[in-house]
Amino acid sequence: MKGPTKKQQEILLFISSFISQYGFAPSLKEMADHFHISSAAVHYALISMEKKGLVDKVGNGARSIILSSDVRKDMGNTPVPLYQGEPDSSSLENGSLDTLFVPSSLASPSTFAFIVTSWSMKEGGILPGDIAILDKEREAKDGDIVLGYPEGGDGKMELRRLRKLKTLFELWPENDSMGITRSQNMVICGILREIRRKY
């Protein structure tokens, strides 16, 4: 399935949440009102989403948009952005190319996921190919596994364990062959919620 754009992800999330709450799809007007855009803009977005296999149109009624069969198999789940590899600061702002469905209890507008490529947490049981699911609005605590980078750096993010000291933040790998990243100002982009692995 070709992934949605950032706006399409938001529309898909709204449709999924609306169906979970009311049992039927929102109308074009309800979607337009929610996103503060015209009904025509929603219409064109849905046409594009239909071409990508994300939604289907059944009839010509006001609530004729349904989730596609692929998406319906994940009912009860919510789509979140999925990045191929550890995202950098710019890709988090620009949106992902893929979507991952996670349990609705785990998802929020601030949830995102990426496919791990680094060995930095191998001794913590997190390996390349795993899918890390994070929340970017939760407050990071000492000892949390986070995705972050030093402020003023190149924006390259690392999945590591956070240590908060009096005047420093440290990102500790769980891999003896890698060093500790230290900074007085650390940008925390997400706190790990769950790891998924395909066997």
Side-chain angles (χ1 to χ4, degrees):
M1 181 190 299
K2 188 175 180 182
T5 64
K6 186 175 181 180
K7 177 56 71 176
Q8 289 170 349
Q9 288 171 355
E10 294 170 354
I11 293 173
L12 192 59
L13 177 59
F14 177 69
I15 293 171
S16 177
S17 299
F18 193 100
I19 290 173
S20 295
Q21 183 174 355
Y22 297 105
F24 51 82
S27 66
L28 284 181
K29 184 178 185 308
E30 286 165 338
M31 286 186 272
D33 289 346
H34 177 80
F35 291 104
H36 306 290
I37 57 177
S38 68
S39 293
V42 173
H43 175 72
Y44 287 121
L46 292 173
I47 289 174
S48 177
M49 292 171 73
E50 186 177 7
K51 289 178 181 177
K52 291 181 177 181
L54 297 167
V55 297
D56 292 319
K57 194 169 189 298
V58 179
N60 296 307
R63 302 183 187 278
S64 59
I65 291 296
I66 63 171
L67 300 174
S68 70
S69 58
D70 285 338
V71 175
R72 285 200 306 272
K73 286 189 291 188
D74 291 288
M75 278 303 294
N77 289 343
T78 300
V80 300
L82 173 66
Y83 298 87
Q84 300 293 327
E86 289 80 351
D88 57 26
S89 53
S90 63
S91 61
L92 275 182
E93 293 176 1
N94 295 329
S96 69
L97 298 177
D98 295 298
T99 299
L100 176 72
F101 286 88
V102 302
S104 298
S105 59
L106 185 65
S108 75
S110 61
T111 304
F112 68 98
F114 71 90
I115 298 174
V116 176
T117 62
S118 171
W119 290 95
S120 64
M121 296 296 293
K122 72 171 186 175
E123 288 157 22
I126 302 173
L127 306 175
D130 289 350
I131 296 175
I133 302 169
L134 303 98
D135 190 309
K136 57 188 174 186
E137 287 191 357
R138 290 192 167 211
E139 183 179 351
K141 298 176 182 149
D142 185 66
D144 282 344
I145 296 176
V146 302
L147 185 69
Y149 64 95
E151 188 176 87
D154 59 8
K156 183 179 179 182
M157 300 189 191
E158 304 171 340
L159 187 68
R160 298 190 173 191
R161 195 170 295 278
L162 177 67
R163 298 294 183 201
K164 291 183 175 182
L165 306 178
K166 285 185 178 180
T167 59
L168 280 177
F169 292 92
E170 296 180 337
L171 294 179
W172 281 67
E174 295 191 2
N175 182 335
D176 291 340
S177 67
M178 294 183 169
I180 301 166
T181 300
R182 295 181 172 91
S183 177
Q184 290 184 328
N185 297 294
M186 197 73 72
V187 179
I188 305 300
C189 299
I191 295 93
L192 184 68
R193 299 286 311 281
E194 182 176 294
I195 288 289
R196 290 188 179 183
R197 180 172 298 158
K198 292 183 179 179
Y199 294 94

